Amino acid sequence: MLAAMMTCGLASVTMTSCTTGIDNPVVNPDVPDVDVKDYVERIVPVVDPQNKPQGVVTLRFYDDMPSVAYVSISNFQSMIYPGTTVQVVKTAEGLYDLISPCGTATVDTEKDTFESDHYDDFTNMMGMVQPGMTNDIYDALPIIRWKTREIVPQSVHVKLDYGKYGIDLRDDDTNVYFPFATIADLYVDGYLHEADYNGELVMVAPNGAYSLLDGYPEFLITPILKETRTADMADFAYRNLCFTLTNFFGYPGRTLLENKGLKEKGLDQALLDYGQAGVMTRDLLRSTDMYEFISGTATLSCLLDDGGHTYTDVTTVSDMNGNPEFMSKLDGILEAIATEFESYCPEFQVYKDTRKAGYEMASALKEKRKEKFGDKVFYYKEGETAYCIFNSFLCDDSGWRKFYNGEGPKPTLEDYPNDDLLILLEALEKAENDPEVKNFVLDIATNGGGSSDIVIFITSLFCNKSDICYENTLTGQMIKSTFEVDRNLDGKFDEKDAEVSFDLNFALLISNYSFSCGNILPALLKDYGIPILGQRSGGGSCAVLYNPSADGFGYRYSTHRHRMANTSNENIDSGIEPTYLLETVDDFYDIPKVTELIKNYYSK
């Protein structure tokens, strides 16, 4: 209701006429060619994920695509990165130079292309997080801060051919206009700065990841939950999804559609080549029936399943609880379509079985730990070896932020008993101060991931290294980002941090459940000389982007921006082989055996 009231109160409509040259013919012959593009402009409210006003933005709606919002590149930049804009310079008919605060690009509205030698610089918004920062991976936990980035090669020319997908870029001699969802997909970054238009208002995430921890909010999603969607929206949304997932997917290497040439052929052709399951998914995604469309996002999610990062199923990210009647009907349809899809796609069962095996392994390990250590015990010592149970790469960031901002005391386990970072720090202190303890085992065998910032923090404590390596799969560039780490956690980055050291033999315990950051940490520690014990980790190499669909739903996928690598720049999605294989669950907590393996490793 509030969203509707804001729209009615702020909206104004201006009728104008704009004629441009005929754009590049679209691939789909069903889409008509349009010579004259009349449009209306609407002023739309902008809010944050808590529904707090953030201003307004002007959107265009062209007569040939009346349901699809367009926005000028200048207005979009000013909205998503307040205080900045993009300067647009016309250089020839249909050709424009774009100058953003961090980079430049060229748009051809006749060929519908975007080109740049520094694509990630042009879309860089990380200055809102840390002044001067490049477009890098960073969750902005205050215990670390970005320092430098090495990138090879330094420059790569990127050409994004929107015309190939029937996506029309438009102009009016003074500015360039993108479909709103298209430009939003171009900008969204690893910190989750993004924008989403739901037909009534625009939601932006000025605080990125920390304002979207609960997904896309109910107030944004509820207005979209209608029985049908318009034909122009259904057509455009599919084209935009095809462009985005073909160009911006991280290609971890394990998904079913990758095996059908997703990167080489594009999403549309890969679905057609997949057989009944792919054709069914394609038809659902293009449907004007909202229930069928949402079901298509779910079946696509199966074909892009990469172990837990990619969920194109919009129900997993979008809060749909505001329309229980819609959801009740959707649940029945989803169940029926899932059954039909799996009858066409028996190979997806292999993925489900792999996921199930990981859960079963984690459950067995937790039971064995409970039997050996006791319930809810996170530090256990036997002889000269200590274990720290580290179940997620997360911390209660609110307490740490207050501390670093001078607004509260340093967090303690007494105040934040579920903070895994504090659990680790207390365990390290106990082990270091115990003269009997020589070996410290960090147990991430039941750790499904979290923040790469904590990976960097641990790597710094264990190895005195503070780098993270990754590839941009769109540009092919290899990147190493270096961070400063407040190793003594006194709230300052200074020379005292270098004094932190531990007289301990470190080891890492992993299983096939260890995923995402639980895969990145063993990749780095193994390269830096720390022994890895257990079984091959569960993979998960890409950072995750949360993107808006053209309709306004949220979904997430493995991003091209950050496909993590080891120090040799190798993709790590297949998992990390342990230095020492532990064949059974009992072996994981056979402390004499583990102790002997660690002693042998460090005696070499």
Side-chain angles (χ1 to χ4, degrees), residues 20 57 71 81-82 130 249:
T20 65
V57 66
V71 64
Y81 194 165
Q130 182 178 320
F249 190 51

Side-chain angles (χ1 to χ4, degrees), residues 301-321:
S301 200
C302 299
L303 295 171
L304 288 175
D305 190 308
D306 56 3
H309 278 161
T310 297
Y311 290 104
T312 58
D313 181 351
V314 298
T315 66
T316 63
V317 175
S318 307
D319 184 349
M320 299 186 174
N321 294 320

Side-chain angles (χ1 to χ4, degrees), residues 257-486:
L257 279 183
E258 287 178 86
N259 296 330
K260 290 296 182 182
L262 174 62
K263 189 169 188 178
E264 296 77 22
K265 302 174 184 178
L267 177 62
D268 186 60
Q269 191 61 49
L271 288 173
L272 287 171
D273 290 349
Y274 202 84
Q276 283 182 293
V279 172
M280 172 188 182
T281 297
R282 181 179 186 269
D283 289 344
L284 291 169
L285 289 170
R286 299 169 73 219
S287 177
T288 56
D289 182 291
M290 186 64 79
Y291 299 107
E292 291 183 352
F293 164 68
I294 293 174
S295 299
T297 69
T299 59
L300 178 64
S301 200
C302 299
L303 295 171
L304 288 175
D305 190 308
D306 56 3
H309 278 161
T310 297
Y311 290 104
T312 58
D313 181 351
V314 298
T315 66
T316 63
V317 175
S318 307
D319 184 349
M320 299 186 174
N321 294 320
N323 191 330
E325 183 179 347
F326 182 95
M327 288 305 297
S328 177
K329 183 175 179 180
L330 176 63
D331 288 343
I333 295 172
L334 278 172
E335 184 177 352
I337 286 178
T339 300
E340 181 183 356
F341 171 82
E342 292 192 23
S343 73
Y344 300 148
C345 191
E347 57 270 31
F348 180 62
Q349 187 63 44
V350 176
Y351 281 75
K352 292 185 9 179
D353 290 345
T354 300
R355 189 81 61 87
K356 182 180 178 183
Y359 290 134
E360 290 175 347
M361 182 65 170
S363 178
L365 289 168
K366 289 176 182 177
E367 284 299 314
K368 180 56 62 174
R369 275 201 308 237
K370 182 178 178 181
E371 175 187 318
K372 179 77 176 181
F373 301 163
D375 193 21
K376 297 182 180 179
V377 173
F378 297 100
Y379 178 82
Y380 183 84
K381 169 199 158 185
E382 184 176 312
E384 58 188 39
T385 298
Y387 273 61
C388 173
I389 314 306
F390 193 70
N391 282 326
S392 78
F393 290 86
L394 296 172
C395 66
D396 190 322
D397 66 284
S398 62
W400 289 104
R401 290 182 190 283
K402 290 176 183 177
F403 171 61
Y404 277 80
N405 289 334
E407 299 168 355
K410 185 175 180 178
T412 65
L413 267 177
E414 183 177 353
D415 294 325
Y416 301 95
N418 298 316
D419 188 318
D420 286 290
L421 179 61
L422 290 170
I423 288 170
L424 170 61
L425 295 172
E426 182 181 77
L428 282 170
E429 184 179 0
K430 286 182 178 179
E432 181 69 13
N433 293 331
D434 188 334
E436 292 182 354
V437 175
K438 295 182 174 61
N439 310 307
F440 186 90
V441 179
L442 186 64
D443 182 354
I444 64 166
T446 57
N447 191 319
S451 171
S452 60
D453 289 6
I454 293 183
V455 170
I456 294 165
F457 182 81
I458 293 172
T459 306
S460 177
L461 291 186
F462 283 23
C463 312
N464 199 25
K465 300 284 187 179
S466 55
D467 306 320
I468 197 161
C469 305
Y470 59 92
E471 178 183 4
N472 183 314
T473 59
L474 175 66
T475 65
Q477 291 167 297
M478 302 306 304
I479 299 143
K480 182 170 80 170
S481 297
T482 302
F483 294 81
E484 294 180 282
V485 178
D486 184 15

Side-chain angles (χ1 to χ4, degrees), residues 192 194 196 203 212-218 220-221 297 301 309-320 544-549 552-557:
L192 304 188
E194 62 175 70
D196 191 347
M203 183 194 75
L212 282 171
L213 292 179
D214 296 322
Y216 283 52
E218 181 181 300
L220 180 77
I221 300 303
T297 69
S301 200
H309 278 161
T310 297
Y311 290 104
T312 58
D313 181 351
V314 298
T315 66
T316 63
V317 175
S318 307
D319 184 349
M320 299 186 174
V544 174
L545 287 191
Y546 284 70
N547 265 45
S549 73
F553 294 109
Y555 68 98
R556 77 182 206 184
Y557 65 94

